[in-house]
Amino acid sequence: MTTIYLHIGMPKAGTSCLQKAFFNNRDKFLENSYLYPTSCMKHNAKEIVNRYSHNTLAHCLMGLEDKDNIFSMSIWEELKIDSINPRNVIISTEAFTSFEIFYQPEILAKIKDLLKEYEIKVVIYLRKQDEFLESSYCYMVKLGACSVKIKELFNEYQYIFNYYQILENWADIFGYDNMIVRRFAKSNTKNHIFADFLRVINQFNNKSDYKVDYSAKKNVSPSGKMIKILLLINNLNETILAKFIKLDDSYWSKYQYFLSFLSNNKTICKLVLRLPKFLIDNVLLLTEEKEDIMKKFKELNSQIAYKYLEQKNGVLFGDYS
């Protein structure tokens, strides 16, 4: 039976890096009996998060890929697994952990039913909740999708930080023995996430077959000061400009380009960093706030360490976990 390694995220845990490595090495993967399907991808997507991933599979279940608003499974059928008949398949979409709809058992059961002909191994990378919050916040502000302070965002989306519940949701449907839980540490540059994934799928001994630019940096976040400047612009856009301008797709595309220009322009970023601290500081979360967040999930994280990683000390993450 063909085994599908279903990589579901988490978001901001090296997913874009992994997906680009999967895509660039798809021919070598296939030589080694691993298919990374490209038939259902949006190769021309503006967002890198959609360019090399299988997010369209999740979007289909959400109804986002159906212009007529009629539920259609054609995108799933386009995976074309059976026609190639590989021993193994890699499917990667962090959308399965990004949207609340995929926290519903009936939706996860639907995914299992769609893949019922295959053996499923669910792969997930977990990142410290405080780091995940800061990274997600920067990403959303840069997209123009957030105009609230970071703690407000955390309070609104607390469900996505409860990793234990996420794992339990998937384990209840796909089976505890089919869950592969890994830890993502951005600070650990010695162990690249792609090399770790090769270890997961028993391809680490063939590591030299695969080519990855280990020096490349993806989704680099601007400084805390720049994020706060972008937040002010988002608030201005939401409270004033939106009242006078027709906010169609063309407008949002131009607005996001404007935010991207500001956050990636080195000269502007340097000028913002030189702003005095009494005007705007560079901190998104204070150390005490990070500690409070990690303490909030300490017991749940310990349960993950015990149950999914067999860590006898019950420590999922280091520091104040």
Side-chain angles (χ1 to χ4, degrees), residues 164-177:
Y164 181 76
Q165 189 59 59
I166 292 172
L167 296 179
E168 290 291 281
N169 290 344
W170 284 82
D172 286 345
I173 302 298
F174 290 88
Y176 167 78
D177 292 336

Side-chain angles (χ1 to χ4, degrees), residues 189-315:
T189 56
K190 293 181 180 179
N191 296 316
H192 193 275
I193 189 171
F194 182 66
D196 184 81
F197 193 90
L198 292 178
R199 191 176 283 109
V200 166
I201 64 173
N202 303 312
Q203 280 289 292
F204 190 73
N205 290 338
N206 299 328
K207 179 182 175 182
S208 59
D209 291 348
Y210 302 97
K211 305 301 179 184
V212 181
D213 183 2
Y214 290 95
S215 64
K217 294 184 179 181
K218 301 298 177 186
N219 296 334
V220 178
S221 296
S223 67
K225 288 185 177 182
M226 176 56 76
I227 289 298
K228 290 179 179 180
I229 295 294
L230 296 181
L231 184 67
L232 290 173
I233 295 173
N234 286 346
N235 275 286
L236 176 67
N237 176 68
E238 186 177 275
T239 58
I240 300 178
L241 297 184
K243 296 180 180 179
F244 304 101
I245 301 176
K246 183 180 179 182
L247 304 185
D248 54 14
D249 290 342
S250 174
Y251 171 83
W252 281 112
S253 178
K254 293 175 182 177
Y255 181 68
Q256 289 178 346
Y257 177 83
F258 170 64
L259 294 180
S260 178
F261 169 77
L262 291 180
S263 60
N264 292 308
N265 185 285
K266 292 182 180 180
T267 301
I268 295 176
C269 288
K270 287 180 180 179
L271 289 174
V272 169
L273 268 177
R274 293 176 63 180
L275 291 173
K277 187 177 180 180
F278 72 87
L279 284 179
I280 185 170
D281 62 49
N282 202 40
V283 178
L284 295 177
L285 281 174
L286 298 172
T287 300
E288 305 82 55
E289 292 172 327
K290 293 181 180 181
E291 291 175 353
D292 288 341
I293 289 171
M294 295 310 298
K295 286 176 182 177
K296 182 179 182 67
F297 296 103
K298 182 176 181 178
E299 183 57 37
L300 293 171
N301 286 349
S302 292
Q303 291 184 50
I304 294 173
Y306 285 125
K307 186 172 182 179
Y308 290 93
L309 294 171
E310 298 183 355
Q311 290 283 131
K312 294 182 179 180
N313 61 6
V315 176

Side-chain angles (χ1 to χ4, degrees), residues 2-230:
T2 298
T3 298
I4 292 181
Y5 291 91
L6 184 59
H7 171 234
I8 62 172
M10 296 287 292
K12 313 311 294 179
T15 50
S16 296
C17 177
L18 265 182
Q19 289 158 357
K20 189 168 185 179
F22 293 155
F23 182 83
N24 289 339
N25 287 280
R26 61 193 184 282
D27 292 336
K28 183 57 64 175
F29 270 124
L30 197 56
E31 287 180 22
N32 291 324
S33 300
Y34 287 80
L35 171 67
Y36 189 62
T38 60
S39 50
C40 59
M41 290 182 177
K42 286 188 172 182
H43 304 297
N44 296 323
K46 183 178 69 173
E47 306 88 354
I48 191 172
V49 70
N50 291 322
R51 201 177 304 160
Y52 305 111
S53 73
H54 301 110
N55 284 342
T56 53
L57 298 177
H59 296 165
C60 177
L61 290 168
M62 299 168 66
L64 298 180
E65 296 299 327
D66 195 332
K67 295 180 180 178
D68 298 321
N69 200 29
I70 300 172
F71 187 76
S72 170
M73 300 316 301
S74 60
I75 292 176
W76 285 82
E77 294 167 0
E78 289 175 6
L79 278 171
K80 297 179 181 178
I81 294 174
D82 293 334
S83 61
I84 300 176
N85 195 28
R87 288 203 301 268
N88 304 280
V89 177
I90 301 170
I91 294 176
S92 180
T93 168
E94 68 272 33
F96 282 155
T97 46
S98 299
F99 298 98
E100 197 167 9
I101 186 175
F102 298 109
Y103 290 66
Q104 301 174 18
E106 60 271 22
I107 299 298
L108 299 187
K110 178 66 177 178
I111 296 171
K112 183 179 181 181
D113 183 63
L114 288 165
L115 301 173
K116 61 186 176 183
E117 297 178 10
Y118 313 101
E119 180 182 359
I120 309 299
K121 298 292 183 182
V122 179
V123 184
I124 184 170
Y125 282 84
L126 304 180
R127 183 177 183 178
K128 287 178 63 178
Q129 281 93 343
D130 59 330
E131 293 180 1
F132 176 38
L133 173 59
E134 283 193 323
S135 183
S136 299
Y137 184 70
C138 290
Y139 176 73
M140 292 182 69
V141 171
K142 283 169 57 180
L143 277 183
C146 181
S147 58
V148 300
K149 294 183 178 179
I150 190 168
K151 287 191 285 186
E152 293 179 59
L153 184 77
F154 173 69
N155 291 332
E156 183 176 354
Y157 294 99
Q158 280 201 36
Y159 63 87
I160 201 173
F161 299 93
N162 187 343
Y163 300 155
Y164 181 76
Q165 189 59 59
I166 292 172
L167 296 179
E168 290 291 281
N169 290 344
W170 284 82
D172 286 345
I173 302 298
F174 290 88
Y176 167 78
D177 292 336
N178 293 318
M179 300 296 297
I180 301 175
V181 180
R182 310 294 285 181
R183 283 172 283 206
F184 172 79
K186 189 173 182 179
S187 58
N188 189 354
T189 56
K190 293 181 180 179
N191 296 316
H192 193 275
I193 189 171
F194 182 66
D196 184 81
F197 193 90
L198 292 178
R199 191 176 283 109
V200 166
I201 64 173
N202 303 312
Q203 280 289 292
F204 190 73
N205 290 338
N206 299 328
K207 179 182 175 182
S208 59
D209 291 348
Y210 302 97
K211 305 301 179 184
V212 181
D213 183 2
Y214 290 95
S215 64
K217 294 184 179 181
K218 301 298 177 186
N219 296 334
V220 178
S221 296
S223 67
K225 288 185 177 182
M226 176 56 76
I227 289 298
K228 290 179 179 180
I229 295 294
L230 296 181

